[in-house]
Amino acid sequence: LKLYIQRVFIMDEAEQFLPLYLRFVKGVIDSNDLSLNISREILQKDPVIDKMRGALTKRVLDTLGKMAKQEDSEDYATFWKAFGQVLKEGPAEDFANKEQIAKLLRFATTHDDRDEQAHALDDYIGRMKEGQEKIFYVVADTHNTAKNSPHIEVFRKQGIEVLLLSDRIDDWLMSHLNEYDGKQFQDVAKGELDLGKADDEEAKKEREETAEKMKPLV
């Protein structure tokens, strides 16, 4: 961002006005009054800067949200391919806007098994099985490894969708993204398998029998 004060150029890269996860934004800020040091090259600490930062962050997120909602969202798909991994830094850095950032995230899922990250969390929730209480995901080094993970076999059998995460930042992202829209995230490779009310009794019985058979090997 280029900063001007009363139309006088002050600095070329004004990093104070947007969080780091929005570093792809280019623009011009022209303010009537901000505190500068004597050389007029460095901004002093000023509560006005914090207010401007909050307002600009909200404006950028709102603009991205409108772009994502368009029926023909090719523009957002293009944006996501270029800057999706940068936006994934958001939930860890900007707690106040975590829900709004999560709405903008896109994922590959077992819904179509494609490696393209095209599914929003709202899409996932809209397709959840009756009685399903959690958003399930698996993290792997590659998309191919994720979609062939043995951890998701039981989910495929029961028609429960799983997010397929394979970007280097994904594990770190999910450690800061605990829930969305009241639904908890669950890593299918960690902890005990709990499908909630969506669990099929027959499949549950089959898993228990298999576990019993495998006890000698374990």
Side-chain angles (χ1 to χ4, degrees):
L1 297 176
K2 296 180 187 296
L3 175 65
Y4 289 75
I5 294 181
Q6 295 179 358
R7 298 188 182 182
V8 176
F9 176 71
I10 303 298
M11 65 174 68
D12 202 28
E13 294 181 15
E15 296 174 351
Q16 300 93 327
F17 293 95
L18 279 176
L20 199 58
Y21 72 93
L22 294 179
R23 58 186 175 274
F24 49 80
V25 176
K26 291 186 178 182
V28 173
I29 298 175
D30 187 10
S31 173
N32 287 330
D33 187 30
L34 282 174
S35 306
L36 296 167
N37 68 353
I38 294 171
S39 66
R40 291 183 63 82
E41 289 175 351
I42 301 172
L43 285 166
Q44 293 183 351
K45 284 191 175 180
D46 191 328
V48 177
I49 294 174
D50 293 331
K51 286 182 183 177
M52 289 175 70
R53 178 188 172 101
L56 287 167
T57 300
K58 191 174 186 309
R59 177 69 63 87
V60 173
L61 294 177
D62 286 347
T63 302
L64 290 174
K66 287 174 186 172
M67 192 194 301
K69 278 181 185 174
Q70 291 171 1
E71 287 184 27
D72 180 15
S73 56
E74 280 187 24
D75 284 348
Y76 191 76
T78 303
F79 158 79
W80 181 259
K81 282 178 185 174
F83 300 113
Q85 292 204 39
V86 181
L87 198 62
K88 283 180 179 181
E89 298 172 14
E93 187 182 347
D94 189 356
F95 184 80
N97 293 304
K98 185 187 284 191
E99 192 84 1
Q100 197 173 357
I101 299 164
K103 194 178 280 287
L104 296 170
L105 300 178
R106 294 294 180 267
F107 301 92
T109 86
T110 54
H111 180 66
D112 55 16
D113 274 343
R114 292 188 303 161
D115 62 355
E116 184 182 354
Q117 297 175 7
H119 301 279
L121 290 172
D122 287 334
D123 298 334
Y124 179 100
I125 290 173
R127 294 191 292 260
M128 282 172 71
K129 281 190 71 174
E130 189 178 344
Q132 185 180 339
E133 298 164 353
K134 295 181 179 179
I135 298 172
F136 296 103
Y137 70 92
V138 64
V139 181
D141 292 336
T142 67
H143 174 77
N144 206 40
T145 306
K147 76 175 184 179
N148 291 308
S149 169
H151 293 292
I152 64 175
E153 286 178 10
V154 64
F155 294 89
R156 288 191 187 277
K157 279 183 182 177
Q158 297 198 44
I160 297 175
E161 188 174 354
V162 179
L163 304 179
L164 304 172
L165 310 182
S166 56
D167 286 340
R168 290 180 67 183
I169 194 173
D170 283 337
D171 210 8
W172 185 71
L173 163 69
M174 300 314 291
S175 68
H176 291 90
L177 203 61
N178 302 316
E179 65 172 32
Y180 175 75
D181 196 22
K183 308 285 185 187
Q184 294 254 327
F185 286 93
Q186 172 71 53
D187 185 345
V188 301
K190 293 179 182 174
E192 285 192 25
L193 185 63
D194 179 15
L195 304 184
K197 295 174 186 173
D199 203 353
D200 183 280
E201 282 300 320
E202 195 175 320
K204 192 175 181 181
K205 187 179 177 183
E206 186 185 330
R207 287 203 308 278
E208 287 172 356
E209 288 174 356
T210 304
E212 192 64 34
K213 286 177 189 173
M214 297 301 284
K215 269 187 179 178
L217 173 63
V218 174

